[in-house]
Amino acid sequence: MVFLKSFSVLVISDEPKNLYEIFDSIGITLRKTNKTKASISSNFSAYDIAFIDIDADGWEKRLLELKQYMPVITFGKPDIEKAVKSMKLGATDFLTKPLKNELVKEIFENFKDKPKVEIEGLIGKSQVMEDVYSGIRKAALTDSNVLITGESGTGKELVARAIHKLSDRKENPFIVINCSAIPDTLLESELFGFEKGAFTGANYTKKGLFEWADKGTLFFDEIGDVSPLFQTKILRVIQEGEFIRIGSGRPIRVDVRFIAATNKDLTKACKEGGFREDLFYRLNVIHIEIPPLRNRKEDIPSLVDFFIKKHSSKRKDINIKAITEEALDALMNYSFPGNVRELENIIERAIAFTNSVEITIKDLPSYLLKNQHPKKILFGPLREAVDNFEKELIWSALQKSRGNISKAAALLGIHRQQLQRKLKQFKISP
Ligand SMILES: Nc1ncnc2c1ncn2[C@@H]1O[C@H](COP(=O)(O)OP(=O)(O)OP(=O)(O)O)[C@@H](O)[C@H]1O
Ligand SMILES: [Mg+2]
């Protein structure tokens, strides 16, 4: 274990001497432990960064495990396939032996200002997810309304719950309204409730969802699918903070924080007249956009791990603990139109199907294997191959972000300045 100012560094290598010397020469105080191979069951959240030697056996498993907790840098003898594989599995950077002082130093510079992220229930440490986490933290500190957007299955409800759990309202109710499931005829009685005798059959007084949510959070799920009547009714409550039960003349005041989610493009719906602009602005005070899983593939290994742990207890006959590299590779090469929910379903199904303690490629659905992105064969010297791989990634990120450097950097999980350096190095103009 090595400390650099406020850093605590985990080194896993059979021959860490060279790395220790570099740490020494760039001003890092060394505090050596007896073990060079750190015990894998230690408390990982205590570390800020890990260096894994990929010339040692079992590095893949370590990388997958450690990257859930911290950025991982891999290093090893020049080996194209291993280097690319380590990046695919989620290493932040790869260094060739013999290690160079400046490169190691640069790595620490890049991580200096990065905050640690940990939000209950949410897995994924990609840069784009870090942005989601900072949105959640910001939202939790206020009572402002929040609009969460993202494709189906990206985790919108999970994010809404996380905001509630981190907020001062956490002890009070979190009420979900599945907007598209309430017909206009039942709208008022569901949302506002009714007084006994308000209409035929109303032989008791019923509280509405707004009242149940008092002092808590109300989550409008699928807000993009609601009728004009629904929009008008909730706009009033959001503006005034009060409503009237059916059959009563007395307004009831409530203290509710509103969070809404949709997979629709509401700006477009506003332009086309399907969604009220005034309601849109009321809801869109804080906007959190959850990126699709295919734009944060580096999160796949830790999500897979998480879902294996979550669902493995359903098999009473065998204890499923892992996934083969080949199967993980297949998942990494798939585009997940159904996002995290689809990944979870795939893992759950594989656990039901498999005959071994590891999920293999045979346990994955056949449609997934048919829709693999073709793999390019890499050749030539290591540096060139790694550069080509990086260039390709940068190109596709720039294409996706339509040339926006900040967005492309976010997709790649690196800092803007780092991307600019790479663009200069590769002579790419966005
Ligand atoms: N980052 C994540 N970490 C762990 N689990 C996740 C994550 N994102 C999503 N999930 C899981 O994926 C599933 C889908 O998430 P959720 O229901 O929040 O998605 P959604 O965006 O509301 O989807 P829809 O638009 O279809 O309603 C849930 O089981 C959820 O727990
Ligand atoms: Mg949902």
Side-chain angles (χ1 to χ4, degrees):
M1 205 193 328
V2 182
F3 291 95
L4 161 73
K5 289 172 197 138
S6 61
F7 276 110
S8 103
V9 186
L10 176 63
V11 178
I12 298 181
S13 172
D14 287 338
E15 32 177 353
K17 205 167 149 269
N18 179 225
L19 195 54
Y20 284 168
E21 277 166 14
I22 291 179
F23 286 157
D24 221 9
S25 73
I26 60 175
I28 302 169
T29 334
L30 272 179
R31 206 172 83 177
K32 281 183 195 159
T33 58
N34 294 332
K35 280 184 253 170
T36 48
K37 254 187 206 174
S39 134
I40 219 72
S41 59
S42 53
N43 178 15
F44 294 129
S45 46
Y47 297 99
D48 297 307
I49 190 167
F51 282 77
I52 298 183
D53 187 336
I54 63 174
D55 295 329
D57 284 342
W59 63 269
E60 294 100 328
K61 196 164 165 281
R62 289 185 169 150
L63 170 54
L64 288 177
E65 186 163 17
L66 292 178
K67 72 155 295 228
Q68 297 178 67
Y69 304 94
M70 66 198 100
V72 178
I73 311 300
T74 49
F75 64 103
K77 294 192 189 106
D79 180 332
I80 299 164
E81 276 185 29
K82 268 190 179 174
V84 171
K85 189 171 170 202
S86 80
M87 300 288 274
K88 274 193 178 170
L89 288 178
T92 314
D93 224 324
F94 170 78
L95 302 173
T96 11
K97 287 180 187 168
L99 295 163
K100 295 203 179 61
N101 291 15
E102 318 83 71
L103 296 177
V104 175
K105 202 169 172 182
E106 192 175 314
I107 283 173
F108 283 104
E109 306 269 292
N110 285 336
F111 284 106
K112 218 168 36 204
D113 309 317
K114 272 203 164 180
K116 273 197 161 188
V117 286
E118 248 164 53
I119 290 202
E120 196 190 298
L122 282 156
I123 306 296
K125 292 219 163 170
S126 50
Q127 177 65 48
V128 279
M129 280 308 280
E130 277 188 33
D131 293 345
V132 170
Y133 301 146
S134 62
I136 292 173
R137 292 219 171 81
K138 189 169 112 193
L141 292 173
T142 72
D143 264 343
S144 305
N145 296 337
V146 185
L147 180 66
I148 303 170
T149 54
E151 289 178 15
S152 176
T154 44
K156 296 186 290 296
E157 182 163 345
L158 213 54
V159 166
R161 287 181 188 277
I163 294 172
H164 174 74
K165 274 194 224 146
L166 286 177
S167 76
D168 285 345
R169 297 171 178 267
K170 59 177 176 288
E171 304 296 336
N172 302 319
F174 177 84
I175 303 275
V176 181
I177 300 187
N178 185 353
C179 299
S180 59
I182 306 180
D184 277 358
T185 44
L186 293 179
L187 194 59
E188 287 199 60
S189 77
E190 287 293 316
L191 298 183
F192 308 149
F194 51 77
E195 296 286 337
K196 189 175 172 180
F199 47 84
T200 326
N203 34 25
Y204 57 94
T205 295
K206 185 191 152 188
K207 272 194 194 178
L209 292 168
F210 278 107
E211 227 173 315
W212 285 112
D214 192 23
K215 309 242 167 5
T217 306
L218 194 76
F219 177 49
F220 293 116
D221 201 6
E222 299 181 38
I223 192 78
D225 299 315
V226 299
S227 68
L229 180 73
F230 195 117
Q231 295 177 35
T232 311
K233 293 285 176 198
I234 64 169
L235 178 64
R236 246 208 68 148
V237 186
I238 294 173
Q239 274 171 343
E240 317 287 332
E242 59 180 39
F243 59 89
I244 298 172
R245 281 191 196 149
I246 305 175
S248 155
R250 191 172 52 89
I252 297 174
R253 280 209 77 76
V254 281
D255 164 23
V256 176
R257 125 70 77 81
F258 299 99
I259 302 179
T262 182
N263 55 17
K264 300 262 156 70
D265 180 348
L266 286 190
T267 324
K268 194 163 149 237
C270 283
K271 277 197 196 110
E272 290 168 355
F275 203 84
R276 291 182 67 131
E277 220 166 359
D278 42 8
L279 178 59
F280 173 69
Y281 287 119
R282 283 279 168 184
L283 293 173
N284 193 31
V285 180
I286 295 176
H287 179 207
I288 298 178
E289 163 87 31
I290 313 179
L293 187 56
R294 62 184 164 282
N295 289 355
R296 47 178 162 119
K297 288 199 165 185
E298 64 269 44
D299 289 342
I300 291 176
S302 32
L303 281 164
V304 168
D305 237 37
F306 175 74
F307 292 135
I308 291 177
K309 284 196 191 95
K310 183 171 166 188
H311 295 291
S312 62
S313 63
K314 289 182 184 153
R315 280 292 291 266
K316 306 292 174 214
D317 51 343
I318 45 175
N319 184 13
I320 299 149
K321 282 194 178 143
I323 184 162
T324 63
E325 278 164 40
E326 194 188 15
L328 185 61
D329 252 6
L331 291 171
M332 296 290 274
N333 285 312
Y334 178 62
S335 61
F336 292 100
N339 293 294
V340 185
R341 179 179 294 111
E342 186 181 9
L343 175 60
E344 180 165 10
N345 290 343
I346 289 171
I347 298 299
E348 197 178 351
R349 179 184 170 279
I351 285 172
F353 273 72
T354 192
N355 288 319
S356 60
V357 293
E358 280 187 322
I359 294 172
T360 68
I361 196 144
K362 287 202 268 346
D363 306 317
L364 301 178
S366 54
Y367 69 80
L368 185 144
L369 304 175
K370 277 189 212 124
N371 290 303
Q372 296 277 301
H373 295 314
K375 275 188 202 154
K376 299 229 168 79
I377 298 161
L378 295 157
F379 55 87
L382 174 71
R383 194 63 252 170
E384 208 175 289
V386 173
D387 283 357
N388 283 338
F389 178 68
E390 264 191 300
K391 258 191 254 181
E392 215 177 283
L393 280 177
I394 291 173
W395 267 118
S396 59
L398 280 169
Q399 239 166 3
K400 260 205 189 97
S401 71
R402 290 171 201 274
N404 181 318
I405 294 185
S406 300
K407 277 194 190 144
L411 289 172
L412 292 163
I414 58 176
H415 286 299
R416 197 189 141 84
Q417 294 87 325
Q418 229 176 325
L419 177 56
Q420 271 165 335
R421 263 207 306 277
K422 299 261 179 214
L423 292 177
K424 223 193 249 166
Q425 179 194 339
F426 297 137
K427 303 190 175 53
I428 299 174
S429 45

